[in-house]
């Protein structure tokens, strides 16, 4: 028995209904996930409401000390967590994948514990004295996706706990084991009832979003589900942070050095085999250097090994599920039918187990092709040629979503000017998707609202209160 299987056994010993979770690389059984019900959810919310006042009473320093211990616990179990994550989600151990994700959980817990949010004196002019404080909300619900299940759960729960709230987590049906295992480790340090994972289906998510005893929902997932959550949370006027789908554009300016930027472009697009909210999903390249960029990208892409997650040489893995495989396949087929030029990949093997879709680059594609306008969320990058920067900016801004974007250039000033014209929550320069626990992150347009990380992230997990006088 591998040591991660001991951790797995400790979370699947539940009696009651279970769901078999299969490894997306091999189709073999990873484990049995409990199927929790809305009654389980109601009990978890009640336990959270009981645990929350005692936790809030610890104050910022007391809570930060516990979060730091929880980070140490995750670090001690890092390899077991990474191996389980790799088997359930499919992502390789190495590269920007499973070990990286568990490391990010530790980093975010520690950074969140260290972030200070002090009461702010807003006015002090001799006549008026007003201070702005942030108080705990109470019980927070966290609903997450399957692409970065552990890291995104920490993004949601670390600031919630830090601000004195209790949390009930509803993980994706595709990756419940990763989140249950993470919570099992965190709960070595947290008071009982403060953090519970309810591993159920959509009905559990709907109930959490509508629950009268829940004050806020942290949601990361698709724009369609985000809209459903806005509706179900309306009757209780819940606070919401919505990190929704994206279709990030990258603009390569004519002065960029194709060789120097190719690796950054590649990993900006193919991190986690493309299954990343803020990955580069459409690349606009100036006609003067279009062929050179395509060539450099194809060289790097062809050399990146894709395979089973537990194989130490893999840096790209399978799609997590059949539904996502079918989306990528459909979009690449539509690009091929339109006459676009496949530079690499595009032909998934038919006789192999697992949801492997080969690393795919598609050139000479129109901006209105489905592979460009829909979020592919997989290892297939369309590369669009442009003539003027105005045209590139218009195409980048042409969609309803605006999570991230990037500008690539040898001239930082020129790149910043173009960045300011793009409608996205974050615009990176000469990199894409680099998140940092100290830097606020959130979407524009239909990619959502509310900020995560840093001081702004803490504020969004508190109820503002002004003391005036
Ligand atoms: P999804 O919206 O299908 O599911 C996310 C979660 O919502 C799951 O736990 C699901 O069970 C739950 N859910 C489904 N219907 C619900 C309802 N009516 N009420 C409450 N909960 C409900 O998303 P997914 O397919 O797991 O994730 C992929 C999507 O997430 C992509 O669009 C991606 O861009 C986006 N994403 C965004 C970010 C970000 O930070 N902006 C990060 C990761 C993923």
């Amino acid at each position: 028995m591998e040591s991660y299987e001991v951790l797995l056994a400790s979370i699947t010993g539940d009696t009651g209904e279970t769901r078999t979770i299969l490894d997306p690389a091999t189709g073999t059984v990873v484990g049995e996930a409990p199927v929790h019900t809305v009654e389980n959810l109601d009990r978890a919310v009640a336990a959270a409401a009981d645990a929350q006042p005692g936790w809030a009473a610890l104050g910022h320093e007391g809570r930060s000390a516990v979060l730091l211990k929880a980070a140490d616990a995750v670090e001690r179990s890092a390899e077991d967590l990474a191996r389980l994550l790799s088997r359930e989600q499919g992502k390789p151990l190495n590269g920007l994948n499973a070990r990286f994700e568990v490391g990010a959980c530790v980093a975010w817990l520690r950074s969140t514990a260290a972030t200070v949010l002090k009461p702010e004196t807003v006015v002090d002019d001799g006549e008026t004295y007003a201070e702005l404080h942030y108080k705990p909300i109470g019980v927070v619900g966290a609903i997450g996706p399957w692409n970065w299940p552990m890291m995104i759960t920490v993004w949601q729960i670390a600031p919630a706990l830090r601000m004195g709230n209790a949390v009930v987590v509803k993980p994706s049906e595709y990756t419940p084991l990763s989140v249950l295992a993470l919570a099992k480790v965190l709960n070595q340090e947290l008071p009982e009832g403060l953090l519970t994972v309810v591993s159920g289906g959509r009905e559990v998510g709907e109930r959490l979003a509508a629950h009268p005893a829940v004050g806020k929902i942290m949601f990361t997932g698709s724009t369609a589900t985000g809209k459903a959550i806005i509706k179900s949370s309306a009757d209780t006027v819940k606070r919401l942070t919505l990190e929704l789908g994206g279709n990030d554009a990258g603009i390569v300016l004519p002065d960029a050095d194709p060789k120097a930027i190719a690796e950054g472009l590649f990993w900006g697009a193919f991190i986690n085999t493309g299954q990343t909210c803020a990955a580069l999903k459409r690349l606009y390249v100036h006609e003067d250097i279009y062929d050179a960029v395509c060539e450099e990208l194809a060289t790097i892409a062809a050399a990146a090994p894709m395979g089973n997650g537990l194989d130490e040489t893999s840096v790209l893995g399978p799609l997590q599920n059949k539904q996502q495989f079918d989306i990528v396949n459909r979009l690449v087929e539509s690009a091929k039918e339109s006459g676009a030029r496949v530079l690499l990949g595009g032909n998934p093997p038919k006789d192999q187990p697992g949801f492997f879709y080969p690393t795919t680059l598609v050139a000479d594609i129109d901006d209105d092709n489905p592979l460009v306008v829909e979020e592919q969320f997989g290892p297939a990058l369309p590369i669009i040629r442009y003539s003027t920067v105005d045209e590139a900016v218009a195409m980048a801004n042409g969609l309803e979503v605006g999570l991230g974007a990037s500008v690539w250039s040898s001239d930082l000033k020129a790149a910043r000017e173009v960045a300011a014209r793009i409608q996205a929550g974050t615009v990176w320069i000469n990199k894409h998707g680099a998140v940092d626990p100290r830097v606020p992150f959130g979407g524009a347009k239909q990619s959502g609202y509310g900020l995560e990380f840093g001081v702004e992230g803490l504020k969004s997990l508190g109820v503002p209160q002004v003391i005036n006088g």
Side-chain angles (χ1 to χ4, degrees), residues 48-248:
D50 284 349
Q52 188 268 331
W55 174 247
L58 288 180
H60 280 295
E61 278 182 26
R63 296 192 297 266
S64 287
V66 178
L67 285 185
L68 289 175
K69 284 191 189 170
D72 294 344
V74 174
E75 200 166 50
R76 282 195 301 275
S77 295
E79 186 61 15
D80 287 348
L81 288 169
R83 294 183 95 79
L84 173 58
L85 174 62
S86 178
R87 286 220 61 207
E88 184 182 53
Q89 205 285 335
K91 62 180 71 191
L93 288 171
N94 290 318
L96 300 172
N97 294 296
R99 288 182 179 128
F100 169 82
E101 178 166 353
V102 177
C105 292
V106 175
W108 252 266
L109 282 162
R110 288 189 178 143
S111 179
T112 308
T115 305
V116 177
L117 174 57
K118 290 200 174 113
E120 187 188 331
T121 304
V122 189
V123 180
D124 182 9
D125 63 3
E127 272 179 42
T128 301
Y129 182 80
E131 273 183 356
L132 179 58
H133 296 249
Y134 288 87
K135 303 172 74 171
I137 296 167
V139 179
V140 170
I143 305 178
W146 47 260
N147 56 341
W148 293 90
M150 290 186 185
M151 185 176 76
I152 288 174
T153 299
V154 167
W155 288 1
Q156 298 176 327
I157 69 176
L161 293 172
R162 173 72 169 70
M163 291 301 289
N165 305 292
V167 191
V168 176
V169 180
K170 207 307 268 173
S172 166
E173 299 88 313
Y174 289 114
T175 50
L177 298 175
S178 299
V179 179
L180 285 160
L182 174 74
K184 180 90 187 171
V185 173
L186 293 170
N187 277 329
Q188 291 168 10
E189 301 296 341
L190 297 175
E192 205 179 326
L194 193 68
L195 168 68
T196 306
V197 176
V198 183
S199 153
R202 165 186 297 236
E203 68 293 346
V204 171
E206 278 170 5
R207 169 73 179 151
L208 187 56
H211 204 295
V214 173
K216 164 134 193 171
I217 296 289
M218 299 289 289
F219 174 70
T220 299
S222 63
T223 299
T225 305
K227 289 177 183 174
I229 287 175
I230 293 171
K231 289 183 188 138
S232 12
S233 66
D235 278 348
T236 48
V237 195
K238 270 186 194 39
R239 286 162 172 74
L240 300 174
T241 293
L242 301 176
E243 296 287 359
L244 309 179
N247 194 344
D248 291 11

Side-chain angles (χ1 to χ4, degrees), residues 23-49:
D23 183 330
T26 60
T28 56
V29 174
V30 180
E32 295 292 324
V35 178
H36 292 143
T37 61
V38 288
E39 288 73 34
N40 294 117
L41 176 79
D42 287 346
R43 279 198 290 277
V45 172

